[in-house]
Amino acid sequence: MNLLQFLAVPLVTCLLIAGTPRAVYNRMFALVGTAVQLFLVIYLIRQFIAARIQQPAEVYFLQQFEWFPTWGIQFQIGVDGISLSMMLLTALVVLAGVLVSWNQEKMSREFFFLLVFLSLGAYGFFMSRDIFTLFFFLELAVLPKFLLIGIWGSGRKEYSAMKLALMLMAGSALVFIGLAAIYQQAHSFDLAILSRHAFPVSFQYLFFPFLFLGFGFFAALFPFHTWVPDGHASAPTAASMFLAGVSMKLGGYGCLRVASFLMPEAAQYYGPAIIALSAIAIFYGAFVTLMQTDLKYMNAYSSVSHCGFVMLGIGIFNVTSVNGAVLQMISHGLMTALFFAAIGMIYERTHTRQVNELGGLLKNMPIISTVFILAGLCSLGLPGMSGFVAEMTVFTGAWQNTSGWIRLATILSCASIVVTAVYILRAAGKAVMGPLAAGWQNLKDAAWQEQLAAGLLLVGIFVMGLAPFLLQYLTGNEADGLVRSASSQLINK
Amino acid sequence: MQLNDWLIMKQELLLVAIILGILVVWLWKEPSNEAWINGMNLVLFFNIIGGLWDFNYGTLFGESFLVTPLILAEKTILNLAVWIIALFSYDWCKKANNLPEFYLLLITSLLGMFLMLSSQNILLFFLGLEMSSLPLAAAAGFDFGRRHSPEAAMKLVISSAFSSALLLFGISWLYGLTGTLDFSGLITHIGHSPLSILAFLLILSGFAFKISAVPFHLWTADVYQGAPTAVTAFLSVVSKSAIFMVMIPVLYQTFEEQIDIWYPGLIILALASILIANFFAIKQLNLKRLLAFSSIAQVGFLLIALAAHTQEGATSVLFFLLIYLFSNLAAFGVVSVLSAQYGIEEISDLSGMYRTHPFLSWILTIALFSLAGIPPTAGFFGKFFLLLSGSSGGNYWVIGIAAANMVISLYYYLRVVKTIFLNQPVQSLPQHTLSFSVKFALLFCAVGIVLIGFFGFLYEHLFQLLTGIN
């Protein structure tokens, strides 16, 4: 299967959107384009499973094109289980994002153009098998993110857009230093070649932090998470969904695939530091969320806390925990996108996101309220939904490490779930249940496109929660392989 | 000399023919500005094509004038830049007095650069350099009506004279030391005495003045602001590119032995340029001044790769110059249209421009993102390879500082983008249809910015040009 079509479809969609001035066609093109992309991803997964049964390999459908032969840089794309699941997540979130922005009136052409363009970068990033290509797609998102938040955002949007762009650029700058060092050491950007290259230990100790912290900016690793609350809270609904659902995963994926995978010794050496930072993010994020009264800020801080689990899994770096980290990336992507969608729908109708001003929404908006509650339940890790599966796996993995300090971090992280339950249930109880607050009598419930968007994400959450083996079947091999190949490098020395 | 020998310098001859043509037509009768503009745009286009027609390489005038495929390509790049500048200055040219003089000055300056690029003798080189800078001083003062314009001209004259003096002083030391003025002779005789180091430092300062590297940058912002936008674009793109193109062979071949001097020298200049220009750029309110400081910062990035003294570094410099040409000309093109149409050059005047001028807004946005080095624009690739070459000696702290400064520079570029897209319009600019030539020039630049990065073979081609014959 030609992977280029996963870049070509969004690109053509973008061009079509840019070429039509009428709002009705813009959203139609965006919808058709993203729907086609979702079908293509599902079809690709089928092809992938067939190919893997036939002949297991490291990378499937690999394609290489000469790009800068002077430097030996190739445009290289290929997929494996982890990147496929990420692409599926991207496809779901973008489609849902287009659906919830269906009634976008202000500059709709530019809006859909930038949204689809944002997804193009994510697809490219997850397919890259060459870290130059990867870096290119990582930075591709700066322009659309800045404009999406700045133009269509709410609140302190200019400040948030600027902060997000600069902080992510700072992350890129750190990643760049790491990349340059890797290149000077191994004279290649090809992941396959680099994974076989044994980097000297002192080199790893020096440059692993650059790569890991650089990607950590994107993954909201404490203390580089400060762009998350402002950025997510100010962004328009679809952009919040994409930022929290997909963009933050770029960081986790990069930490796993580039930093920890290429420099296993350093990953082991810095493991305790990473674990400490992620435990702080989890615990601190949960308590800060407790103090929020704005629904979007609440979900944004809870994202910091949840993404901490991803980094915790990567920091522990054993087979179970890395599997858990991958699951958590997908689970959090679906869950947070759903949460932002629900908050967006509520905001669109009531024009407030303050928990205190809302109340009893279940009475006249049963569907939206149900979606809100379901997203909340998934967030606090209710069994049967994706959050439970992922977080449980991370904890199990973390517990396998017998060091006392790591046990302590694990216990702290586990305990944060109680805090999560407090803020979720409190918000749900106040905003959705109880007596109907004054002024909200004439609100309309979700329209068809909003139901469809929520339905798509809910299907993902429940399938993952009830049948985790399906996703495990897709990503398990690769996650295991990633850890094994890295640890075999450790043993060989 | 036979006809074939003359064809070696056909790019120069074409320019001389154009200059003479302008003079003759001007004597004959007085065509309207419109006729001049269209005619000159056409002539400059054929100048590019003519320069590429039928390659001839070799030396002339007792080996003091050299043309290689690399030099031919470099001259073509400069030709292209001048053509684009002529195209997007349409609105300004229409209102200008004594328009032919303006073309005359720019093309004479270009001719000087061509001589400089081809020179194998340091005196010929100096002649070319002088020939390229003096007409620009006259051109900078071309807006007689504006108070800033003569000031810019004055500053440019004085600072060029000063830098030329430094250069000439260095050259005289060199001649005293080696007894030769040929570059090839200098390589063998230059030695490593304190005097030769002094001479070299003087020459390097002369270069630094011309490319306005910190601390030799003080003239830049005022001149850029005061000069007509077309001249500013010429100064920031064509002049700087030409000097960088010359610096590659001068540093890599002639003064190769002095590497222990010029390596730290260039790194200091580079870091000073990047840091100081960025901090000054943050505060700027005038778009042209902002672009002036931004161009100083870009020079710093170029110097990092140049200091790497590898063929990859030199290739990255040339590649970035090509990208910089498109990016900066697109930005200046928009500025030129805005200042000619509405007389605005302040950043705050751009507030909410997107509502009335979506085309110009997108072009300026793409150009600024390219200057900031954000993909998919070509600037990303340019900066990436500059810094990657710069890291070749293991100097990670240098590229670390440079990378941190990319974050700072993003701030001031984004500030302009923010003003265009997010701010409420303070004054509504009337709609204005762009003339064909302006539209074409801006679109051409935008297409170049978006596509060059994906044409990796361009980089490879430059690399082969640099390593192959040179």
Side-chain angles (χ1 to χ4, degrees):
Chain A
M1 197 162 179
N2 192 339
L3 290 180
L4 281 181
Q5 55 191 300
F6 292 92
L7 300 174
V9 170
L11 192 63
V12 170
T13 313
C14 276
L15 293 178
L16 282 175
I17 292 171
T20 49
R22 286 198 46 195
V24 189
Y25 296 126
N26 294 332
R27 60 187 196 190
M28 280 309 287
F29 281 133
L31 180 64
V32 172
T34 46
V36 166
Q37 188 81 343
L38 178 61
F39 283 115
L40 277 177
V41 172
I42 293 171
Y43 182 68
L44 176 65
I45 291 177
R46 274 194 52 188
Q47 297 276 329
F48 164 75
I49 290 173
R52 190 168 66 179
I53 289 171
Q54 220 168 40
Q55 175 78 52
E58 250 178 51
V59 190
Y60 300 83
F61 313 115
L62 187 69
Q63 273 170 302
Q64 297 168 314
F65 305 93
E66 284 290 327
W67 201 353
F68 290 95
T70 323
W71 294 94
I73 291 173
Q74 290 177 322
F75 183 78
Q76 249 193 93
I77 47 177
V79 291
D80 61 10
I82 299 177
S83 41
L84 259 178
S85 58
M86 291 296 166
M87 286 164 70
L88 182 63
L89 171 71
T90 312
L92 279 172
V93 172
V94 176
L95 181 54
V98 169
L99 282 170
V100 298
S101 337
W102 195 246
N103 293 324
Q104 181 68 42
E105 273 164 10
K106 183 184 172 193
M107 292 159 78
S108 70
R109 176 163 55 149
E110 288 83 352
F111 182 84
F112 287 115
F113 174 84
L114 292 172
L115 191 63
V116 178
F117 189 71
L118 204 52
S119 76
L120 171 77
Y123 288 118
F125 181 85
F126 291 130
M127 289 195 294
S128 306
R129 303 300 303 186
D130 176 287
I131 47 178
F132 177 78
T133 319
L134 184 123
F135 188 62
F136 170 75
F137 284 116
L138 180 73
E139 282 208 33
L140 193 60
V142 175
L143 169 72
K145 276 178 192 163
F146 178 78
L147 290 180
L148 274 172
I149 296 177
I151 299 178
W152 293 276
S154 54
R156 293 192 302 164
K157 55 185 184 179
E158 293 177 12
Y159 168 79
S160 307
M162 191 66 96
K163 184 172 180 181
L164 177 134
L166 292 181
M167 284 194 71
L168 294 189
M169 188 71 183
S172 304
L174 288 179
V175 172
F176 170 76
I177 296 170
L179 290 197
I182 284 184
Y183 184 84
Q184 298 303 346
Q185 190 74 24
H187 294 287
S188 172
F189 279 127
D190 189 338
L191 265 178
I193 295 175
L194 291 177
S195 68
R196 282 188 289 276
H197 185 94
F199 292 98
V201 177
S202 58
F203 174 85
Q204 294 194 16
Y205 287 172
L206 188 56
F207 288 105
F208 177 82
F210 283 99
L211 278 179
F212 199 88
L213 293 182
F215 283 116
F217 269 85
F218 288 82
L221 182 69
F222 182 87
F224 309 116
H225 65 282
T226 52
W227 61 274
V228 174
D230 290 318
H232 290 184
S234 302
T237 306
S240 303
M241 289 166 67
F242 192 90
L243 278 175
V246 181
S247 291
M248 283 171 87
K249 309 303 169 292
L250 302 190
Y253 184 88
C255 284
L256 189 62
R257 171 94 344 127
V258 181
S260 295
F261 179 54
L262 294 183
M263 303 187 177
E265 273 105 347
Q268 202 180 32
Y269 179 76
Y270 287 109
I274 300 168
I275 292 163
L277 288 181
S278 13
I280 294 174
I282 293 169
F283 208 65
Y284 161 85
F287 272 100
V288 176
T289 317
L290 209 51
M291 301 301 294
Q292 302 304 317
T293 54
D294 182 314
L295 283 175
K296 266 197 157 178
Y297 269 101
M298 203 184 90
N299 194 27
Y301 273 112
S302 92
S303 286
V304 173
S305 174
H306 282 111
C307 279
F309 288 114
V310 177
M311 302 312 266
L312 180 69
I314 296 171
I316 303 250
F317 210 66
N318 62 32
V319 171
T320 320
S321 76
V322 168
N323 263 308
V326 172
L327 291 180
Q328 173 70 358
M329 282 201 258
I330 295 156
S331 156
H332 175 255
L334 292 170
M335 179 266 288
T336 201
L338 186 67
F339 219 151
F340 272 124
I343 295 169
M345 291 176 209
I346 292 174
Y347 180 68
E348 200 179 304
R349 287 162 176 78
T350 63
H351 300 287
T352 180
R353 296 188 310 236
Q354 297 298 324
V355 182
N356 302 329
E357 295 173 19
L358 298 168
L361 296 179
L362 193 58
K363 299 216 165 46
N364 49 12
M365 300 197 299
I367 299 178
I368 296 179
S369 306
T370 312
V371 169
F372 182 81
I373 293 173
L374 284 176
L377 292 179
C378 180
S379 171
L380 61 80
L382 192 77
M385 297 167 96
S386 61
F388 173 74
V389 175
E391 286 170 17
M392 199 60 207
T393 318
V394 174
F395 292 144
T396 317
W399 200 253
Q400 287 169 9
N401 195 317
T402 48
S403 145
W405 287 108
I406 290 175
R407 286 256 157 108
L408 180 68
T410 315
I411 292 169
L412 275 179
S413 310
C414 273
S416 79
I417 290 191
V418 183
V419 186
T420 312
V422 173
Y423 64 72
I424 294 286
L425 294 178
R426 203 175 60 181
K430 178 72 187 76
V432 174
M433 299 186 192
L436 189 60
W440 312 133
Q441 276 81 11
N442 301 320
L443 300 177
K444 280 208 187 77
D445 205 357
W448 66 270
Q449 73 273 7
E450 290 168 331
Q451 295 178 14
L452 189 58
L456 269 174
L457 296 170
L458 274 174
V459 167
I461 288 176
F462 277 111
V463 166
M464 196 179 150
L466 296 172
F469 52 87
L470 286 178
L471 193 60
Q472 183 66 21
Y473 180 67
L474 198 62
T475 63
N477 271 342
E478 272 74 15
D480 297 354
L482 233 154
V483 178
R484 291 223 176 83
S485 93
S487 358
S488 74
Q489 245 186 353
L490 282 179
I491 294 160
N492 280 342
K493 277 181 199 156
Chain B
M1 269 166 97
Q2 292 169 344
L3 180 67
N4 248 356
D5 291 344
W6 282 106
L7 279 180
I8 291 173
M9 57 183 305
K10 67 178 180 315
Q11 284 173 309
E12 286 76 9
L13 292 177
L14 270 171
L15 289 186
V16 171
I18 294 172
I19 292 169
L20 293 177
I22 292 174
L23 288 173
V24 169
V25 172
W26 203 10
L27 274 181
W28 215 253
K29 58 178 194 173
E30 189 86 19
S32 66
N33 268 7
E34 194 108 0
W36 271 117
I37 298 166
N38 292 329
M40 284 310 296
N41 288 347
L42 209 63
V43 167
L44 286 173
F45 176 68
F46 283 115
N47 178 40
I48 302 174
I49 304 294
L52 291 171
W53 198 269
D54 193 23
F55 303 106
N56 288 281
Y57 311 117
T59 54
L60 279 180
F61 310 128
E63 306 218 330
S64 62
F65 185 94
L66 170 79
V67 174
T68 63
L70 176 68
I71 291 174
L72 187 104
E74 289 171 344
K75 288 177 182 171
T76 307
I77 291 175
L78 297 185
N79 267 333
L80 181 70
V82 173
W83 181 53
I84 295 175
I85 292 172
L87 281 178
F88 75 57
S89 311
Y90 184 89
D91 291 315
W92 178 79
C93 288
K94 241 172 36 181
K95 295 175 190 161
N97 298 321
N98 303 325
L99 184 62
E101 279 178 19
F102 174 71
Y103 288 116
L104 214 55
L105 290 169
L106 286 197
I107 293 170
T108 313
S109 171
L110 187 65
L111 180 61
M113 286 166 198
F114 281 10
L115 287 178
M116 184 171 82
L117 280 173
S118 279
S119 62
Q120 288 298 296
N121 179 298
I122 207 157
L123 266 190
L124 184 63
F125 162 79
F126 183 75
L127 276 179
L129 189 72
E130 282 304 280
M131 190 170 168
S132 71
S133 26
L134 283 180
L136 284 180
F142 214 75
D143 268 346
F144 306 119
R146 290 167 63 237
R147 205 166 51 82
H148 286 303
S149 193
E151 180 196 333
M154 220 39 223
K155 280 194 169 148
L156 191 56
V157 167
I158 292 171
S159 65
S160 330
F162 187 62
S163 72
S164 299
L166 284 180
L167 203 65
L168 206 53
F169 194 37
I171 291 172
S172 66
W173 279 113
L174 270 188
Y175 183 66
L177 273 169
T178 61
T180 174
L181 286 172
D182 289 332
F183 280 129
S184 53
L186 286 175
I187 299 174
T188 45
H189 290 103
I190 187 156
H192 221 90
S193 62
L195 265 186
S196 73
I197 290 168
L198 179 65
F200 171 70
L201 281 180
L202 285 169
I203 290 176
L204 189 64
S205 318
F207 281 139
F209 247 111
K210 300 283 180 197
I211 56 174
S212 63
V214 174
F216 305 99
H217 68 291
L218 293 165
W219 56 279
T220 316
D222 292 336
V223 171
Y224 277 28
Q225 185 187 7
T229 313
V231 179
T232 312
F234 191 93
L235 274 169
S236 83
V237 175
V238 186
S239 299
K240 282 190 184 176
S241 302
I243 300 283
F244 269 105
M245 288 165 180
V246 169
M247 276 172 93
I248 293 171
V250 168
L251 293 180
Y252 283 27
Q253 289 166 12
T254 314
F255 293 104
E256 205 196 352
E257 272 189 44
Q258 261 76 5
I259 180 142
D260 50 339
I261 306 294
W262 61 258
Y263 179 76
L266 288 191
I267 293 288
I268 290 168
L269 286 178
L271 292 181
S273 303
I274 294 175
L275 282 166
I276 294 190
N278 270 346
F279 285 120
F280 274 90
I282 289 174
K283 281 292 184 193
Q284 296 309 316
L285 301 174
N286 180 294
L287 197 53
K288 277 162 90 175
R289 283 184 87 86
L290 177 84
L291 286 172
F293 282 109
S294 121
S295 82
I296 297 174
Q298 311 283 355
V299 162
F301 282 95
L302 280 161
L303 285 174
I304 289 180
L306 191 64
H309 59 87
T310 57
Q311 293 299 338
E312 285 88 358
T315 316
S316 302
V317 168
L318 285 183
F319 188 61
F320 187 81
L321 287 176
L322 187 64
I323 292 163
Y324 176 71
L325 181 159
F326 284 112
S327 319
N328 231 15
L329 287 188
F332 275 118
V334 175
V335 176
S336 159
V337 172
L338 290 176
S339 75
Q341 285 301 328
Y342 312 111
I344 56 175
E345 283 176 3
E346 302 294 311
I347 294 172
S348 58
D349 292 335
L350 303 177
S351 294
M353 189 176 96
Y354 184 67
R355 287 166 212 213
T356 45
H357 297 76
F359 176 73
L360 290 180
S361 304
W362 276 119
I363 299 280
L364 187 56
T365 306
I366 293 175
L368 292 178
F369 270 87
S370 182
L371 290 173
I374 304 290
T377 58
F380 166 77
F381 301 94
K383 286 263 171 72
F384 190 94
F385 291 122
L386 284 182
L387 294 189
L388 192 62
S389 327
S391 72
S392 68
N395 254 341
Y396 297 114
W397 61 273
V398 173
I399 63 160
I401 294 173
N405 273 278
M406 280 180 74
V407 183
I408 299 174
S409 72
L410 182 65
Y411 169 75
Y412 58 76
Y413 293 123
L414 278 184
R415 207 162 55 100
V416 181
V417 175
K418 187 199 89 171
T419 316
I420 294 173
F421 281 92
L422 313 187
N423 286 13
Q424 294 299 321
V426 275
Q427 60 184 86
S428 76
L429 306 174
Q431 288 284 356
H432 173 76
T433 44
L434 294 172
S435 61
F436 172 76
S437 73
V438 175
K439 228 175 194 166
F440 177 82
L442 293 180
L443 264 181
F444 185 68
C445 288
V447 170
I449 292 171
V450 174
L451 289 186
I452 285 180
F454 298 98
F455 294 159
F457 60 83
L458 267 178
Y459 190 94
E460 179 69 13
H461 183 64
L462 288 174
F463 182 73
Q464 281 164 359
L465 284 181
L466 264 166
T467 47
I469 292 125
N470 212 6

